[in-house]
């Protein structure tokens, strides 16, 4: 269980201007920095208009690049983009918006209606002491079907009631054919006054079923929902979307619906969700849901594969709109047929004691009532570990409700309770599934590659996976003491607000299924912590050879 004592969401006096290295779309830290810098400095700069900014402004010149030259603050909205084909380069500076209370939403960057091809990059956007409700750092409202926006190299911190970090595509299809990547988002607001529609998301995406959305290589921390994608895949499946290589450590607001690391919902077809790591001491994993709309408007034909999920509930919900206390690894429901779930690692625990309402489900497939559109669902090659925590509810690796056709094939599982129920599935094929049987290691290696970066008032740790096949989790140590959190199922951890309490050292160790813990890694010190976006090191394809080189 995570520590409950928490300082202020972020102390503005703690911030220093962050340095953002110039780079193309790929992370330089994966490649030889010198060689890549030579390439970057040798390419002729594109010819475009450029305007320097020294304070809040309305950006209304199409085709313009605006460059911020200093840190700025604003009592309300800092920047309004009122034209298409605009780039806002924050120049590595910090923008603090909403420094005064506001009865209406305000934003760090507001892209108003009917705009496309907007880029926001290279800086920090923080919500100030005004902490107004529903006031995301970046807000894109309405737009055209082309979209073509890009948000990247951003560090974002918000704290208002029901405030997303990034909210794009609101009231329409603005974020079609658009990307958000290489961005850190921290959402520290408390339990919303009204959470009937769920709690705040780190990244909220909408593309009105036209698709072409990418969210990758982001770190999302402390939000109720990590990434919530609604209508992000075309009905014809001709313009697919992809959510991949994100690190998500979310925290549910008790009494609010849907505390998932990733949600693919509404009219979402042909969406690929892969290579994400979702770890939460108080949250669920991944949901694919059609929201009870018709077959054509459901969430179907999606692929969820090669994700690592380790989730738990640790805070009892006793009131609010949705006082539920059952935890799920992967859920598929509501007109969400023809979805495939393959090669995921799913670990689920419940430390809540709420008799009759504290269940554990590795996979939960099915709707609440008869649903003929729940057909062609496949779960294959997954590893599912359903563990006994402090709760007393039923524990199942696979749980079924109303569905037409479901195939569960060639999965491995460990369960402290039942393997599956029968449910209300018309045709259920359960074949070639087996108890997880892997050899136990006699000794474990210390994890390698431990790296540390400071992001706002938190520290982000990342490390390499251990080679032993029976290692699924890791233990995190701060200043020589084991942190009071559940073991990590991913290869990262964000120590929230730790930067407010002085300097620290960290180490990690591997944990085998048998309970054997290996030696600790070499310690890393916060004194040598890297810049925030240096924590995102996951590009695996080298940049293409440059063309049209000019000697400068």
């Amino acid at each position: 269980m995570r520590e409950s004592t928490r300082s202020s969401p972020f102390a503005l006096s703690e911030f220093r201007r962050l340095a953002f290295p110039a780079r193309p779309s790929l992370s330089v830290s994966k490649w030889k920095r010198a060689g890549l810098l030579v390439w970057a400095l040798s390419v002729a700069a594109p010819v475009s208009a450029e305007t320097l900014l020294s304070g809040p402004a309305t950006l209304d010149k199409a085709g313009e690049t605006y460059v911020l030259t200093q840190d700025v603050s604003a009592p309300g909205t800092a920047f309004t983009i009122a034209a298409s084909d605009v780039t806002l380069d924050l120049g590595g500076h910090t923008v603090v918006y909403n420094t005064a209370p506001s009865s209406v939403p305000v934003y760090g960057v507001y892209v108003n209606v009917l705009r496309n091809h907007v880029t926001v990059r290279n800086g920090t956007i923080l919500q100030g002491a005004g902490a107004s409700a529903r006031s995301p750092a970046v807000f894109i409202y309405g737009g055209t079907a082309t979209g073509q926006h890009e948000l990247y190299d951003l560090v974002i911190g918000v704290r208002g009631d029901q405030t997303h970090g990034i909210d794009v595509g609101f009231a329409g299809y603005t974020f079609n054919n658009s990307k958000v990547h290489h961005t850190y988002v921290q959402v520290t607001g408390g339990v919303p006054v009204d959470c009937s529609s769920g709690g705040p998301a780190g990244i909220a995406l909408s593309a009105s079923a036209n698709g072409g959305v990418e969210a990758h290589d982001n770190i999302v921390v402390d939000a109720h929902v990590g990434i919530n994608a609604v209508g992000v895949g075309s009905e014809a499946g001709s313009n697919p979307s992809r959510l991949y290589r994100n690190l998500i450590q979310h925290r549910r607001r008790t009494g609010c619906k849907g505390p998932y690391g990733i949600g693919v919902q509404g009219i979402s077809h042909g969406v690929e969700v892969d290579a994400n790591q979702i770890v939460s001491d108080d949250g669920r994993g991944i949901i694919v849901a059609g929201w009870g709309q018709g077959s054509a408007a459901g969430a179907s034909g999606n692929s969820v594969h090669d994700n690592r999920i380790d989730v738990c509930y640790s805070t009892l919900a006793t009131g609010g709109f949705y006082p539920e206390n059952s935890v799920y690894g992967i859920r598929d429901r509501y007109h969400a047929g023809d979805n495939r779930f393959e090669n995921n690692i799913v670990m689920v625990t419940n430390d809540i004691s709420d008799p009759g309402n504290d269940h554990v489900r590795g996979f939960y497939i099915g709707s609440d009532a008869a649903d003929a559109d729940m057909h062609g669902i496949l779960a294959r090659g997954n590893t599912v570990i359903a563990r006994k925590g402090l709760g007393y509810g039923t524990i199942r690796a696979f749980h079924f409700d109303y569905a037409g056709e479901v195939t569960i094939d060639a999965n491995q599982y460990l369960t402290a309770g039942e393997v599956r129920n029968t449910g209300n599935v018309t045709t259920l094929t359960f074949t070639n599934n087996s108890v997880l049987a892997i050899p136990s290691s006699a000794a474990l290696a210390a994890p390698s590659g431990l790296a540390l970066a400071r992001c706002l008032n938190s520290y982000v740790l990342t490390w390499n996976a251990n080679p032993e096949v029976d290692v699924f989790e890791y233990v995190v140590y701060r200043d020589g003491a084991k942190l009071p959190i559940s073991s990590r199922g991913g290869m990262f951890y964000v120590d929230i607000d730790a930067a407010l309490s002085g300097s620290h050292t960290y180490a990690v160790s591997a944990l085998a299924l048998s309970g054997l813990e290996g030696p600790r890694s070499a310690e890393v010190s916060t004194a040598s912590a890297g810049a925030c976006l240096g924590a995102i090191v996951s590009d695996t394809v080298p940049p293409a050879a440059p063309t049209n080189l000019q000697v400068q």
Side-chain angles (χ1 to χ4, degrees):
M1 184 181 300
R2 184 164 50 201
E3 295 172 301
S4 58
T5 302
R6 204 168 273 207
S7 304
S8 60
F10 8 83
L12 300 184
S13 61
E14 288 286 325
F15 295 138
R16 295 180 179 176
R17 181 176 136 187
L18 297 175
F20 291 81
R23 60 162 178 78
S25 60
L26 292 179
S27 171
V28 301
S29 50
K30 265 291 186 182
W31 312 104
K32 290 184 178 179
R33 292 178 184 269
L36 191 53
L37 284 173
V38 168
W39 172 79
L41 293 172
S42 300
V43 178
V47 178
S48 64
E50 185 175 281
T51 298
L52 302 182
L53 300 172
S54 59
T58 296
L59 318 182
D60 56 5
K61 296 180 182 179
E64 193 85 356
T65 294
Y66 294 86
V67 180
L68 188 61
T69 60
Q70 63 182 31
D71 296 347
V72 302
S73 64
T77 296
F79 295 102
T80 297
I81 297 179
S84 296
D85 300 298
V86 167
T87 294
L88 173 57
D89 187 332
L90 299 179
H93 295 286
T94 296
V95 176
V96 182
Y97 70 101
N98 194 192
T99 60
S102 174
S103 60
V104 298
V106 292
Y107 316 103
V109 178
Y110 170 52
V111 181
N112 68 15
V113 70
L114 298 176
R115 308 301 170 197
N116 58 57
H117 198 212
V118 169
T119 298
V120 182
R121 67 190 184 202
N122 190 26
T124 299
I125 307 174
L126 305 174
Q127 186 176 18
S132 299
R134 304 180 187 276
S135 297
V138 179
F139 183 61
I140 300 180
Y141 187 99
T144 70
T146 54
Q148 296 180 337
H149 303 298
E150 186 170 15
L151 311 175
Y152 66 97
D153 282 2
L154 299 172
V155 175
I156 287 174
V158 298
R159 52 181 169 179
D161 180 38
Q162 199 63 298
T163 293
H164 305 317
I166 295 173
D167 190 356
V168 291
F170 179 83
Y173 28 74
T174 333
F175 216 65
N176 299 335
N177 309 303
S178 300
K179 300 178 182 180
V180 53
H181 60 94
H182 293 90
T183 287
Y184 176 90
V185 182
Q186 185 168 322
V187 179
T188 57
V191 177
V193 174
D194 174 15
C195 62
S196 58
S197 59
I203 301 173
L205 306 171
S206 179
S208 194
N210 287 298
V213 172
E214 288 190 24
H216 66 89
D217 297 297
N218 302 292
I219 301 176
V220 181
V221 180
D222 224 26
H224 179 78
V225 179
I227 299 175
N228 194 35
V230 178
V232 295
S234 62
E235 290 192 50
S238 58
N239 192 22
S241 294
R242 189 179 178 196
L243 314 176
Y244 60 104
R245 289 198 314 246
N246 300 288
L247 306 180
I248 298 173
Q249 181 178 301
H250 60 300
R251 171 181 61 91
R252 72 169 177 156
R253 275 55 168 178
T254 54
C256 295
K257 293 188 66 174
Y260 287 91
I262 293 178
V264 176
Q265 307 192 62
I267 310 171
S268 293
H269 305 273
V271 181
E272 186 176 8
V273 181
D274 66 290
N276 301 286
Q277 297 185 49
I278 299 172
V279 179
S280 178
D281 294 314
D282 210 3
R284 294 174 176 173
I286 294 175
I287 187 170
V288 180
W291 277 3
Q293 303 171 55
S295 176
S300 62
N302 303 298
S303 175
V304 178
H305 66 91
D306 295 289
N307 301 285
R308 293 183 67 99
I309 300 169
D310 187 357
V311 291
C312 176
Y313 270 2
S314 57
T315 305
L316 180 68
T318 58
F321 178 80
Y322 195 58
E324 56 73 36
N325 289 302
S326 294
V327 61
Y328 317 130
I330 291 179
R331 189 166 192 186
D332 187 69
R333 70 188 303 198
Y334 292 157
H335 305 283
D338 296 310
N339 293 315
R340 302 173 68 93
F341 304 90
E342 298 173 288
N343 303 318
N344 301 286
I345 296 174
V346 181
M347 294 175 279
V348 186
T349 312
N350 200 340
D351 282 338
I352 297 300
S353 179
D354 184 17
N357 191 27
D358 55 359
H359 305 301
V360 173
R361 311 284 186 247
F363 273 79
Y364 188 164
I365 297 174
S367 297
D368 302 336
D371 190 342
D373 296 318
M374 291 288 291
H375 55 72
I377 299 166
L378 172 67
R380 173 178 290 159
N382 302 285
T383 298
V384 183
I385 301 175
R387 297 176 290 205
K388 170 67 175 173
L390 302 178
Y392 295 95
T394 57
I395 301 171
R396 291 191 182 116
F398 301 93
H399 179 85
F400 306 104
D401 213 324
Y402 288 91
E405 179 191 6
V406 178
T407 298
I408 309 295
D409 180 62
N411 302 281
Q412 296 188 84
Y413 57 83
L414 283 178
T415 175
E418 305 169 12
V419 176
R420 66 180 180 93
N421 67 335
T422 302
N424 295 286
V425 182
T426 304
T427 304
L428 174 60
T429 302
F430 197 90
T431 55
N432 305 312
N433 302 290
S434 60
V435 174
L436 179 61
I438 54 179
S440 296
S441 298
L444 304 177
S448 64
L450 179 60
L452 179 67
R454 177 169 176 172
C455 293
L456 304 182
N457 288 326
S458 303
Y459 289 113
V460 178
L461 288 78
T462 57
W463 58 88
N464 299 325
N466 261 50
E468 300 89 356
V469 295
D470 57 336
V471 169
F472 286 85
E473 295 179 292
Y474 300 85
V475 180
V476 181
Y477 291 85
R478 183 210 297 144
D479 301 329
K482 185 182 297 186
L483 285 175
I485 57 174
S486 64
S487 304
R488 302 286 91 186
M491 281 73 73
F492 79 101
Y493 175 62
V494 182
D495 200 2
I496 298 170
D497 281 350
L500 296 175
S501 58
S503 61
H504 302 285
T505 59
Y506 292 91
V508 295
S509 62
L511 188 65
L513 283 175
S514 65
L516 174 67
E517 182 178 349
R520 300 179 198 178
S521 67
E523 288 187 339
V524 294
S525 171
T526 56
S528 58
C532 182
L533 295 183
I536 306 173
V537 184
S538 50
D539 297 306
T540 56
V541 180
T547 59
N548 300 320
L549 296 182
Q550 296 182 14
V551 177
Q552 301 297 309

